[in-house]
Amino acid sequence: MAVKVTPQDLEAFLSKGAGASPAARPAGSPPRSCPPPSPSPNPVARVLGLDPGSVRTGWGVVESLGGGRLRLVAGGTIKSPSRRPMAERLLAIHQQINQVIARHQPGEMAVEGIFAALNARTAIILGQARGAAILAGAVAGLAVYEYPPASVKKALVGTGQADKHQVRAMVEALLRQSLPPPAEFSLDASDALAIAVCHLHSRGLRGRGLK
């Protein structure tokens, strides 16, 4: 079952943790590749963030090393065949997320919620893509958490109306490293990293007994 985290929780923790100095790691591969994870010193948690879509699904794996330090493990974009029937597109999303989970071994999954202003047809299609993604996490035994898009933006940037480029800039600041240009590492992938970062901060907040 997806667990929702309030924007107040995220803002409270980010205001304390943004000044930490996470370990830097050079950004790795093009968006559709899944480089093998390199070993890290005693990670506290490893989270798969997902920004689901019926054509493009951004994904990013981030781990907490403790003490407010975050490390980018890998990220990319899953592309499903837009001209194929919806069932085949959902299968492609599900299978590729299974591959990401198998390769990078996250302990938890954080998924972006549905934007409230979407029309009914778009919301249904997006809901199906989210379902394929969430099912992959559930089958793998991961705890799955949901974050409203505006809450993620407000927690990272300070406003729920932030655009994808602003979110990307804050992700780079919090991870203390530059990402490849959007042509190589999509905005959907950086959105997924933002969701993973928010979850790790919220996870730490809950661990402090504040939630």
Side-chain angles (χ1 to χ4, degrees), residues 13 198-210:
F13 192 81
C198 276
H199 176 66
L200 283 167
H201 282 308
S202 177
R203 187 180 188 277
L205 183 147
R206 292 196 302 275
R208 286 171 167 77
L210 300 178

Side-chain angles (χ1 to χ4, degrees), residues 113-192:
I114 295 177
F115 184 53
L118 292 177
N119 63 53
R121 182 177 182 278
T122 302
I124 289 171
I125 293 173
L126 180 55
Q128 291 174 330
R130 291 178 73 253
I134 290 170
L135 178 61
V139 170
L142 306 183
V144 180
Y145 297 81
E146 177 185 21
Y147 294 84
S151 298
V152 175
K153 294 176 181 179
K154 188 171 182 180
L156 265 70
V157 184
T159 171
Q161 305 302 314
D163 63 30
K164 286 178 175 286
H165 292 280
Q166 292 172 307
V167 171
R168 183 187 185 90
M170 279 306 303
V171 167
E172 291 179 321
L174 290 167
L175 293 175
R176 295 296 177 94
Q177 70 178 86
S178 296
L179 299 174
E184 300 175 20
F185 194 92
S186 74
L187 293 172
D188 298 305
S190 53
D191 276 358

Side-chain angles (χ1 to χ4, degrees), residues 24-127:
R25 175 181 183 267
S29 55
R32 281 175 287 178
S33 67
C34 299
S38 57
S40 58
N42 302 317
V44 174
R46 177 175 285 194
V47 174
L48 170 61
L50 291 174
D51 180 16
S54 61
V55 177
R56 294 184 307 277
T57 293
W59 65 271
V61 180
V62 179
E63 63 187 12
S64 170
L65 303 178
R69 296 179 300 134
L70 301 177
R71 174 179 176 270
L72 169 60
V73 176
T77 305
I78 293 169
K79 293 186 177 181
S80 51
S82 59
R83 296 181 181 276
R84 303 301 299 169
M86 179 57 71
E88 292 184 22
R89 290 156 65 184
L90 296 177
L91 178 60
I93 293 169
H94 181 76
Q95 289 178 332
Q96 292 184 64
I97 291 176
N98 283 340
Q99 294 172 10
V100 170
I101 292 172
R103 174 159 292 193
H104 298 292
Q105 296 293 306
E108 297 174 344
M109 176 188 286
V111 183
E112 183 175 78
I114 295 177
F115 184 53
L118 292 177
N119 63 53
R121 182 177 182 278
T122 302
I124 289 171
I125 293 173
L126 180 55

